[in-house]
């Protein structure tokens, strides 16, 4: 089976779904953000604060290049990774790309108390989520498979993905 990459806005469930998929499909799971934090020995929030988003995006591209050569894996990408055309190309070439599509209102409910999301630390995080989706939706839609997650339980999402990647 081809490697799987999960894309979508922050809070769409990429890490949770990725872990469950990896267990069910007997594949390795890699969270790109967690790998960056491990390598840099700091949090994504700290990287954003100290070195800026563009520096973080460079680290993200390096990590995607590194992991795209490995087999039998599922990766969870950062929400903005698809904004870089090089990243999108890498993902589409090496993975079955799955977009976990989630409405901003649903994401806001999930993330409203999460202080680890640097892009949401502002007076109107819902507006930020809507703006991010507007900017990224075109690239998210280039995925091989789109799964709407708004009203589904995690097991339903996982089963839908498995059905789609096996057909």
């Amino acid at each position: 089976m081809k490697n799987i990459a999960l894309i979508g806005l922050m809070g769409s469930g990429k890490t949770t779904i990725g872990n469950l998929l990896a267990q069910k499909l007997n594949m390795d799971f890699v969270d790109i953000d967690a790998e960056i934090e491990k390598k840099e020995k700091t949090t994504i929030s700290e990287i954003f604060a100290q070195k800026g988003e563009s520096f973080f995006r460079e680290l993200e591209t390096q990590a995607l290049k590194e992991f795209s050569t490995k087999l039998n894996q599922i990766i969870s990408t950062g929400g903005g990774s698809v904004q870089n055309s090089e990243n999108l190309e890498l993902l589409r070439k090496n993975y079955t790309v799955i977009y976990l599509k989630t409405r901003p209102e649903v994401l806001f409910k999930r993330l409203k108390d999460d202080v680890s999301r640097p892009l949401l630390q502002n007076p109107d995080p819902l507006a930020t989520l809507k703006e991010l989706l507007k900017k990224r939706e075109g690239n998210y839609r280039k995925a091989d498979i789109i799964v709407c997650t708004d009203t589904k339980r995690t097991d339903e999402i996982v089963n839908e993905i498995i059905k789609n990647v096996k057909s």
Side-chain angles (χ1 to χ4, degrees), residues 12-67:
S12 60
K14 299 181 299 282
T15 300
T16 303
I17 299 300
N19 267 310
L20 291 168
L21 264 178
Q23 288 169 23
K24 277 205 163 184
L25 295 173
N26 198 25
M27 295 173 82
D28 297 323
F29 176 69
V30 176
D31 181 320
I32 295 296
D33 283 354
E35 291 299 321
I36 292 169
E37 288 181 337
K38 204 186 315 176
K39 192 173 179 190
E40 294 297 309
K41 295 177 180 62
T42 188
T43 65
I44 301 296
S45 294
E46 284 299 310
I47 295 168
F48 265 73
Q50 293 171 2
K51 298 186 177 170
E53 184 175 358
S54 60
F55 179 78
F56 169 74
R57 297 296 171 201
E58 288 172 30
L59 295 175
E60 193 171 51
T61 300
Q62 288 170 15
L64 287 171
K65 282 179 181 170
E66 180 189 331
F67 284 98

Side-chain angles (χ1 to χ4, degrees), residues 101-122:
K101 182 176 172 55
T102 313
R103 285 191 352 256
E105 295 77 10
V106 174
L107 295 171
F108 176 71
K109 278 185 191 148
R110 292 180 191 169
L111 298 171
K112 66 181 186 295
D113 300 320
D114 186 345
V115 294
S116 72
R117 310 289 179 155
L119 295 176
L120 296 184
Q121 302 315 304
N122 65 59

Side-chain angles (χ1 to χ4, degrees), residues 146-148 152 155-164:
I146 297 173
V147 178
C148 294
K152 294 177 184 139
D155 62 313
E156 292 173 310
I157 297 164
V158 167
N159 290 334
E160 184 175 334
I161 290 170
I162 290 171
K163 193 178 85 185
N164 275 295

